[in-house]
Amino acid sequence: MTASPVPQHESRLLRILQQVGVGLFTLAITLLGLLLVTFIIGRVVPIDPVLSIVGERATEAQIQAVRDRLGLDLPMWQQFWIYVRDAVQGDLGTSIRTGESISSEIARYFPATLELATLGTIFGTLVGVPAGVLAATRPGSIADQIVRVVGLMGYSMPVFWLGLIGLLVFYGQLDWVAGPGRLDPTYDMMMEFTLTSYTGMILIDSALNGAWDVFANAISHIILPAGLLGYVSMAYISRMTRSFMMNELGQEYITTARVKGMPEWRVVWVHAMKNVMVPLITVIALSYAYLLEGSVLTETIFAWPGLGSYITDALFAADMPAVLGGTVVVGVVFVTLNMLSDIIYRLVDPRART
């Protein structure tokens, strides 16, 4: 007696559930490995967290009391288990500098980085993708040369130099934009004491509160650093888009579509772009992740109170729990964006669902 075949829709559902299960397992293993690495780093750095908390003049009894409270006398495996348990619950420890919860501090700083990186990625995508397509459809032309030179400049010029030049020209000389910081002091006080904070991102919160004067001031502050990060992102995205598009335009199905008399815009933006978007999703996600964790210099130059500035200040103050907590958040961001890009990849490309 032969078993009845599984219906096609049930078979597809089983494959989807299997892929989700594998993805979640991989995510859990990756995050566990990340926590293991940060735990080991926190134990091998030549900084005694107890002395950083109590000071060098503390008595032995005070030092031992703090060691007991931190669990530093427990076996190493037990310390790691407590570290993982607390991290899963959202507890990344306590800052040595401020004595506050690292999770709450990161929750205050991260929205500023998220706002800046999101605008930079949007700008880089909206400009970089059309520029890359234009260069790919006209190889060797003046447009192609301009796109390649602009992209090369974005790769070659140091970010801190571009930021300083931008402040000197657009803020110092032309007065087109506001200076460093997220808001002018007056609006900053209004945002802190008068308006309701919903997300921590000033543009969204000021719009939700109907404070359009605060919104305009925030725009004048963010446009230069976001444009700088967007330029760096655009350089990478345009280069990869050009490469992907040129590869697709040389395929046989593109030649067939042209022979059939299909309009060139449809050949490029419908048929070729459908396949280009598959690898381009990963490129954009990686660019976004880079801006979320790699904008330290930009945040420093523009006095932007984001995650990069938080980790840098903690590092200079030898606040290793804060540094490691920020590192964990950065790692979670990378892993999450990779997982989301993989999900979108499977939705865009039917071949990945088989």
Side-chain angles (χ1 to χ4, degrees), residues 18-147:
Q18 183 180 11
Q19 292 173 355
V20 171
V22 172
L24 291 176
F25 178 75
T26 304
L27 176 63
I29 295 297
T30 304
L31 293 179
L32 184 63
L34 173 65
L35 291 174
L36 177 60
V37 171
T38 55
F39 175 80
I40 293 175
I41 293 175
R43 295 303 184 272
V44 300
V45 291
I47 298 176
D48 191 343
V50 176
L51 292 180
S52 300
I53 294 174
V54 302
E56 297 181 356
R57 296 185 179 181
T59 63
E60 280 296 329
Q62 292 173 326
I63 293 176
Q64 188 60 41
V66 174
R67 292 187 68 87
D68 293 339
R69 178 165 60 85
L70 297 178
L72 297 178
D73 289 332
L74 297 173
M76 197 65 67
W77 69 267
Q78 194 169 351
Q79 293 183 42
F80 179 63
W81 163 249
I82 295 174
Y83 180 67
V84 173
R85 182 197 64 193
D86 292 344
V88 170
Q89 295 174 354
D91 182 6
L92 297 175
T94 303
S95 171
I96 296 176
R97 290 180 301 161
T98 63
E100 296 184 20
S101 168
I102 295 173
S103 299
S104 62
E105 289 187 338
I106 291 178
R108 291 198 306 267
Y109 281 88
F110 187 67
T113 298
L114 182 64
E115 186 175 42
L116 185 62
T118 300
L119 288 180
T121 303
I122 291 174
F123 172 81
T125 303
L126 293 180
V127 177
V129 172
V133 173
L134 177 65
T137 54
R138 294 170 175 82
S141 65
I142 296 179
D144 183 25
Q145 298 298 328
I146 292 176
V147 171

Side-chain angles (χ1 to χ4, degrees), residues 110 113-115 117-118 121 287-295 299 307-308 330 333 337:
F110 187 67
T113 298
L114 182 64
E115 186 175 42
T118 300
T121 303
S287 177
Y288 188 33
Y290 169 76
L291 294 188
L292 282 172
E293 63 85 24
S295 56
E299 291 182 357
L307 183 59
V330 170
V333 167
L337 287 176

Side-chain angles (χ1 to χ4, degrees), residues 147-221:
V147 171
R148 295 173 67 181
V149 169
V150 170
L152 181 62
M153 291 173 60
Y155 268 100
S156 305
M157 292 184 180
V159 175
F160 70 87
W161 184 83
L162 288 174
L164 292 174
I165 294 298
L167 282 174
L168 177 64
V169 174
F170 298 105
Y171 169 61
Q173 297 294 327
L174 300 177
D175 197 26
W176 287 358
V177 299
R182 300 181 75 188
L183 287 171
D184 290 345
T186 303
Y187 294 108
D188 197 14
M189 294 180 61
M190 183 187 302
M191 194 72 202
E192 184 174 357
F193 298 108
T194 306
L195 305 181
T196 302
S197 177
Y198 297 100
T199 64
M201 292 180 280
I202 293 179
L203 293 177
I204 296 178
D205 290 346
S206 59
L208 292 176
N209 282 275
W212 299 111
D213 52 344
V214 179
F215 181 86
N217 188 255
I219 286 289
S220 67
H221 277 271

Side-chain angles (χ1 to χ4, degrees), residues 285-314:
L286 290 177
S287 177
Y288 188 33
Y290 169 76
L291 294 188
L292 282 172
E293 63 85 24
S295 56
V296 176
L297 292 176
T298 304
E299 291 182 357
T300 302
I301 293 169
F302 290 95
W304 199 265
L307 183 59
S309 297
Y310 175 77
I311 295 176
T312 303
D313 293 342

